[in-house]
Amino acid sequence: MAKKKAWSGRFDGRTDAFVEEFTASIPYDVLLYRQDIAGSIAHARMLGKQKIIPQADARKIVAALTAIREGIESGKLSFDPSQEDIHMAVEQFLIRKLGKTGGKLHTGRSRNDQVALDLRLFLRESIDDILAILEKVQEAIVARAEEFFGVVVPGYTHVQRAQPVLFSHHLLAYHEMLTRDQDRFRDARRRANVSPLGAGALAGTTFPVDRESVAAELGMEGVCENSIDAVSDRDFAADFLYACAVTMMHLSRFSEEMVYWSSAEFGFLSLPDALCTGSSIMPQKKNPDVPELIRGKAGRAYGNLVNLLTVMKGLPLAYNRDMQEDKEPVFDSARTVKESLIGAALLIRGMSVNEGRMRGACDDGFLTATDLADYLARKGVPFRKAHEITGKIVRYCEKNGKRLKDLSLKEFRSFSPRIGEDVGNFVSLTNSLRMRNVRGGTGPRRVKSRLEALKKR
Ligand code: ARG
């Protein structure tokens, strides 16, 4: 049977039992209990300091809130749907402890500014966690890129072997992506870290609150300048969900490579047993579940972003109950990104590399054809023409079952008299890499210096 509500003054009858459950957010917003209590403690202290409530009451409230947090953590306090949401639940615990004094906490505040604050604080913490794990993944990348320095692998376009690259260069590409991911999260953090408290329900409050001191106590960088905006918008949460979606997109591409590079067909990598599972029917199988699940979970992250944008798109200002739907996508994306990053770090640390297979794949497939064209261009053949000549040479090789390095000088010269003795050197893998000594390129010296720079960071 439904219990008496905090807002029951205006109501005649009890809430329908289904409606009570349907409207409750407590089953999931319990996750916000720490943020909710932190916000309430800052608010109560300010109420006391501003003499909006007696200092002694403020002190009692702060002590009781601290005890409530401990009660929740130890499991002594439990929740039920009649409490509606975490804000009501904490207030109910407070009133149970302090009686009338507990009822003073909500002075000059609304759940509308309170919930916006809680979500902002939650995002801030999630972002700090994510940034720390992102850094771990990057450390793992740098360590392995250093370990495998010198290993050559085909670089691909259209999943066709294209040009040889250092495996380290390939790994470090992900490092760059993750650096931009960090930027996106930091940006989202900056916009989230602003206090809406003082906005009240939507129009501000009649009490002489000190918004800045509350914000400062909570470690926030400022206050929302418009009370209607403060309780209405969730763009800061969408920023976070977008950052999560992009990170998951990066992790998903990485995972995709883990999956197929560890297949028998490629055989470039193998994943440690600890990160794989077997099949219930095929005894020979070792499945790359971790990267597959990371790849699969990108779907949630995209969904969560679209979810929130859709919830928000038709809402008139200011608060609407629809906005209660903002929380689950945020919680889900935060968890998904954290877990996926932990999985990615395990994969990077645990994978073993089959250098022979990688090099073997570079040996056939004409990976140095571009170098041959560049060679001709250096000898004065216009690049377009050089491209055409090289194309003909490749066709000739294919027909005769030869690789570029198998051709004799005579065979080469039958395609262009400009080809000289030095061509053999030019079309070697080592030379192909060495010549790409452009900033950002796969030339070993460039990769090494990038690696050193990243190690120092
Ligand atoms: N549980 C609500 C939410 O998550 C809290 C705010 C409720 N405000 C209101 N006016 N009913 O959005």
Side-chain angles (χ1 to χ4, degrees):
M1 184 59 185
K3 292 191 205 108
K4 188 167 173 253
K5 305 286 182 201
W7 35 257
S8 63
R10 189 229 177 278
F11 283 74
D12 236 353
R14 300 268 191 188
T15 318
D16 179 275
F18 168 78
V19 172
E20 186 167 279
E21 284 213 20
F22 184 69
T23 54
S25 52
I26 189 81
Y28 47 88
D29 69 13
V30 282
L31 264 186
L32 295 174
Y33 79 90
R34 273 186 306 110
Q35 290 80 7
D36 195 71
I37 291 174
S40 289
I41 287 177
H43 180 67
R45 284 210 182 107
M46 180 279 293
L47 291 177
K49 255 194 281 169
Q50 296 294 100
K51 311 230 163 32
I52 299 169
I53 65 173
Q55 286 268 22
D57 287 351
R59 273 196 289 274
K60 272 188 217 150
I61 290 173
V62 170
L65 286 169
T66 309
I68 289 166
R69 184 173 53 217
E70 281 155 19
I72 295 172
E73 265 152 20
S74 66
K76 262 188 235 135
L77 291 172
S78 54
F79 301 92
D80 74 87
S82 77
Q83 291 169 316
E84 207 176 312
D85 57 29
I86 185 64
H87 328 294
M88 297 293 223
V90 170
E91 191 178 349
Q92 198 184 87
F93 294 145
L94 186 69
I95 292 171
R96 233 190 264 161
K97 263 187 191 307
L98 299 181
K100 280 195 217 110
T101 307
K104 295 185 179 179
L105 170 65
H106 212 52
T107 314
R109 187 177 72 172
S110 155
R111 268 188 297 163
N112 297 349
D113 52 356
Q114 187 179 358
V115 71
L117 174 78
D118 292 3
L119 193 62
R120 285 167 182 271
L121 294 176
F122 178 87
L123 284 181
R124 198 176 72 175
E125 277 180 41
S126 299
I127 289 171
D128 290 342
D129 292 346
I130 290 169
L131 286 172
I133 315 174
L134 269 165
E135 207 138 291
K136 295 270 169 243
V137 178
Q138 287 189 315
E139 278 167 26
I141 291 176
V142 166
R144 302 301 318 255
E146 194 165 38
E147 177 184 342
F148 299 125
F149 189 78
V151 172
V152 195
V153 70
Y156 293 84
T157 64
H158 314 267
V159 205
Q160 309 288 323
R161 290 175 191 162
Q163 290 173 347
V165 295
L166 284 180
F167 180 57
S168 308
H169 192 53
H170 190 96
L171 279 179
L172 291 181
Y174 287 105
H175 193 290
E176 302 290 338
M177 297 177 216
L178 297 181
T179 297
R180 291 190 299 277
D181 291 340
Q182 288 168 338
D183 276 355
R184 267 180 285 275
F185 279 112
R186 282 198 201 98
D187 232 37
R189 187 190 197 282
R190 187 171 51 77
R191 278 191 287 273
N193 199 22
V194 178
S195 173
L197 279 191
L202 78 161
T205 170
T206 57
F207 293 97
V209 295
D210 179 354
R211 298 189 61 200
E212 290 75 14
S213 79
V214 175
E217 175 163 350
L218 292 168
M220 300 184 101
E221 275 161 45
V223 300
C224 302
E225 294 295 350
N226 179 302
S227 62
I228 298 176
D229 173 48
V231 295
S232 292
D233 210 351
R234 294 292 184 266
D235 56 354
F236 61 89
D239 287 344
F240 171 75
L241 294 177
Y242 174 67
C244 289
V246 176
T247 300
M248 288 306 294
M249 182 261 290
H250 289 150
L251 295 183
S252 181
R253 297 186 73 176
F254 169 76
S255 298
E256 167 73 3
E257 292 189 333
M258 292 283 118
V259 170
Y260 77 77
W261 283 18
S262 65
S263 70
E265 283 69 16
F266 270 82
F268 287 179
L269 302 173
S270 55
L271 303 179
D273 286 358
L275 303 185
C276 296
T277 65
S279 155
S280 57
I281 172 167
M282 297 165 284
Q284 84 283 13
K285 298 273 315 259
K286 182 175 139 184
N287 297 327
D289 308 66
V290 173
E292 287 175 301
L293 279 169
I294 295 175
R295 190 176 60 186
K297 282 174 191 291
R300 293 169 178 255
Y302 295 5
N304 290 333
L305 172 62
V306 175
N307 180 345
L308 180 66
L309 291 173
T310 311
V311 166
M312 298 305 294
K313 79 172 273 287
L315 298 185
L317 307 183
Y319 178 85
N320 300 273
R321 190 62 177 266
D322 315 48
M323 288 158 70
Q324 182 165 291
E325 291 292 315
D326 61 0
K327 278 168 275 298
E328 284 173 294
V330 164
F331 297 160
D332 187 70
S333 277
R335 205 190 61 203
T336 299
V337 169
K338 281 192 230 175
E339 291 179 354
S340 302
L341 283 168
I342 292 170
L346 289 172
L347 286 166
I348 294 163
R349 289 193 203 110
M351 68 182 173
S352 44
V353 166
N354 190 333
E355 192 177 342
R357 286 283 293 209
M358 288 182 174
R359 179 168 277 274
C362 292
D363 271 339
D364 39 51
F366 311 104
L367 268 77
T368 56
T370 317
D371 301 281
L372 179 56
D374 286 357
Y375 171 86
L376 285 163
R378 279 161 191 271
K379 301 273 174 181
V381 182
F383 184 77
R384 268 293 143 249
K385 186 72 194 161
H387 185 285
E388 190 193 318
I389 295 170
T390 308
K392 285 186 179 144
I393 297 176
V394 166
R395 228 179 35 214
Y396 170 86
C397 285
E398 265 179 343
K399 243 206 220 130
N400 296 282
K402 292 187 171 187
R403 297 169 300 181
L404 288 177
K405 66 176 181 190
D406 301 329
L407 296 183
S408 67
L409 183 57
K410 206 170 138 220
E411 283 173 303
F412 268 125
R413 288 174 72 94
S414 71
F415 292 94
S416 166
R418 307 231 192 175
I419 300 181
E421 296 259 21
D422 52 346
V423 68
N425 245 342
F426 220 89
V427 297
S428 74
L429 287 180
T430 330
N431 190 59
S432 169
L433 291 170
R434 196 173 50 81
M435 293 290 286
R436 287 188 165 69
N437 194 32
V438 61
R439 181 172 179 176
T442 196
R445 276 175 42 213
R446 295 295 189 164
V447 175
K448 186 94 201 159
S449 74
R450 186 68 187 146
L451 199 48
E452 291 309 319
L454 294 174
K455 262 166 65 184
K456 273 196 211 101
R457 271 214 324 217

